[in-house]
Amino acid sequence: MADLTEICAVLKNYFLKDYINYSDIHRGNFTISGHTFAPLDFTIKEGQYFRIKGSDLNDGVWLNTTDGLKDLRDESFEGEIWLMAVPRSFEQLANDINAWRAKNEAVDSANMRVFQSETVQGVYTYTKGNSGGSGGMSWLDNRALKSRALAYRRMSEL
């Protein structure tokens, strides 16, 4: 399944509010213990997405909810925490990408087959799958999802 970490990386967009002064990026030494941060000198709002960068165990995009933080691993690290302002339309896009992937990236999906059809009756014929034989089709090959995603694409993450 695609998660926001993967989608944001592909689009090079971590939804900072301040791409001029980078005031949403906090650098320093951080400690994660018991699925939460030790006291911070800034606030991550309940329900807000944030990015951890520079961690050995927790790099990625996280949602500041009890359920969203349950997979954080205890560690201390020197790195960055990026406060994100993710629009609801992007959350919906991520949900749609996940739904598409659940349907189309299953092992038995036609999209994951190298060959869609094969015939052996004196003459050998075959039809390659959507992947052209490369092992599967990505959500980026879906025109509707890709066009919606490109609206959020940045030239670089900073």
Side-chain angles (χ1 to χ4, degrees):
M1 286 292 174
D3 65 10
L4 282 186
T5 301
E6 175 188 345
I7 298 168
C8 288
V10 167
L11 300 176
K12 297 180 183 175
N13 191 345
Y14 291 90
F15 298 95
L16 297 177
K17 281 184 174 181
D18 182 3
Y19 274 101
I20 296 172
N21 299 311
Y22 307 116
S23 61
D24 300 324
I25 299 175
H26 300 274
R27 294 173 178 90
N29 293 306
F30 302 101
T31 299
I32 299 171
S33 179
H35 310 291
T36 191
F37 290 93
L40 299 172
D41 60 355
F42 57 92
T43 301
I44 304 173
K45 296 175 183 172
E46 175 73 19
Q48 182 176 16
Y49 289 95
F50 63 95
R51 179 188 187 192
I52 296 176
K53 185 176 177 185
S55 157
D56 290 332
L57 304 175
N58 297 295
D59 265 11
V61 174
W62 299 87
L63 180 60
N64 189 27
T65 62
T66 302
D67 191 49
L69 301 177
K70 72 180 185 320
D71 292 328
L72 280 176
R73 297 180 183 168
D74 291 354
E75 76 167 326
S76 293
F77 66 96
E78 182 177 346
E80 300 173 349
I81 297 177
W82 298 22
L83 301 180
M84 299 171 64
V86 176
R88 288 185 187 257
S89 58
F90 185 77
E91 287 181 306
Q92 184 58 55
L93 171 62
N95 291 337
D96 293 347
I97 289 169
N98 284 334
W100 185 92
R101 289 183 81 177
K103 178 181 176 187
N104 293 288
E105 292 184 359
V107 174
D108 60 347
S109 167
N111 287 326
M112 298 308 283
R113 295 184 197 136
V114 175
F115 297 104
Q116 291 231 342
S117 66
E118 189 173 25
T119 307
V120 180
Q121 292 178 341
V123 178
Y124 182 78
T125 63
Y126 67 91
T127 304
K128 286 190 173 187
N130 292 329
S131 66
S134 65
M137 190 167 110
S138 151
W139 66 268
L140 285 167
D141 296 316
N142 178 294
R143 287 184 185 175
L145 292 175
K146 184 176 183 177
S147 68
R148 286 172 58 200
L150 289 179
Y152 298 104
R153 177 122 169 105
R154 295 185 55 85
M155 296 309 292
S156 69
E157 73 178 42
L158 284 180

